[in-house]
Every structure is written in C-alpha cells, then in structure tokens.
Amino acid sequence: MFFETPQKLITNNTVEDFELLFWKHLTTLNKLDEKDWPRHIPKNPSEHEWEYCFHGEQYFMYCATPKHEKRKSRYFPYMMIAITPRWVLQEFNENKRYAEKIKNQKSSKGKNKRI
C-alpha cells in the first residue's frame, strides 16, 4: 500500500510518528476483520511470536517511510506498507538454494549483501 505523503508530513514528523501511523492503520484494519484472532498467535505485538493476522491468516507487515534515513532498508520516498502472507515466506525458505542465493546477492560494489 502506498500512501500519499505530503512534504509537510515528512518535514514535521519523526520515524516514531510514522510508526504510530503504521500501528493506527493496522488497528483500523483489524476492526474490519470478521474472524477471531488465531489462538496460537499472541495478541500482544511485544511478544516475539506475534504476527499480524487478518481473516485467520498470518502476515508479515513491513513499513517504509521517507524518515528512515539511517536504516536504508526501511527508506522509501513515501509511506509504504508491504504485506506478505506467512505462507509465501515459508515456501521461499523451503527452497534453501534459491533462498540463500537471493539473500546473498552481490551489491553493485561486489560485496556480499545480506538482505
């Protein structure tokens, strides 16, 4: 999901402000869910086994913002939330050779870059 991100929002907010906005979007989305939260997934995001769930499915939620200047892997010129179903990541990791190849792609400078 790409969000319109006015320059005023970028200038006047911090990474932490964008994080609050991210959680606000997840909370709002959760209110639309008609299924109960899966029993095996903690409801508290502070717990290490927590994952976002919707309609009984588990998702990896990734947020990037224009304020992530130090952590380049989280930088994007607009606020963006990427949603990956857990099963996609599981299938990716099951193909060990392919997963390792992708994770160890060489950067443009020729150094191994772990993603």
Side-chain angles (χ1 to χ4, degrees), residues 53-80:
C53 297
F54 190 84
H55 205 67
E57 295 289 330
Q58 296 168 236
Y59 294 93
F60 173 74
M61 306 297 276
Y62 170 95
C63 183
T65 75
K67 293 305 271 195
H68 277 92
E69 296 162 349
K70 293 180 182 174
R71 191 170 179 192
K72 296 296 182 188
S73 64
R74 295 285 192 252
Y75 175 81
F76 196 72
Y78 310 101
M79 183 172 174
M80 182 259 307

Side-chain angles (χ1 to χ4, degrees), residues 1 26 29 52 58-62 80-85:
M1 295 183 290
L26 293 187
L29 179 60
Y52 189 79
Q58 296 168 236
Y59 294 93
F60 173 74
M61 306 297 276
Y62 170 95
M80 182 259 307
I81 297 176
I83 304 168
T84 307

Side-chain angles (χ1 to χ4, degrees), residues 16-36:
E16 293 78 16
D17 294 327
F18 277 99
E19 182 180 355
L20 290 173
L21 187 56
F22 168 72
W23 284 106
K24 181 180 176 183
H25 286 303
L26 293 187
T27 300
T28 301
L29 179 60
N30 185 256
K31 291 176 184 176
L32 301 174
D33 195 351
E34 296 175 354
K35 287 197 173 186
D36 291 334

Side-chain angles (χ1 to χ4, degrees), residues 92-104:
F92 172 79
N93 285 320
E94 284 177 11
N95 185 338
K96 302 246 186 264
R97 283 184 51 194
Y98 180 72
E100 202 55 37
K101 180 181 175 184
I102 296 297
K103 290 176 184 176
N104 288 316

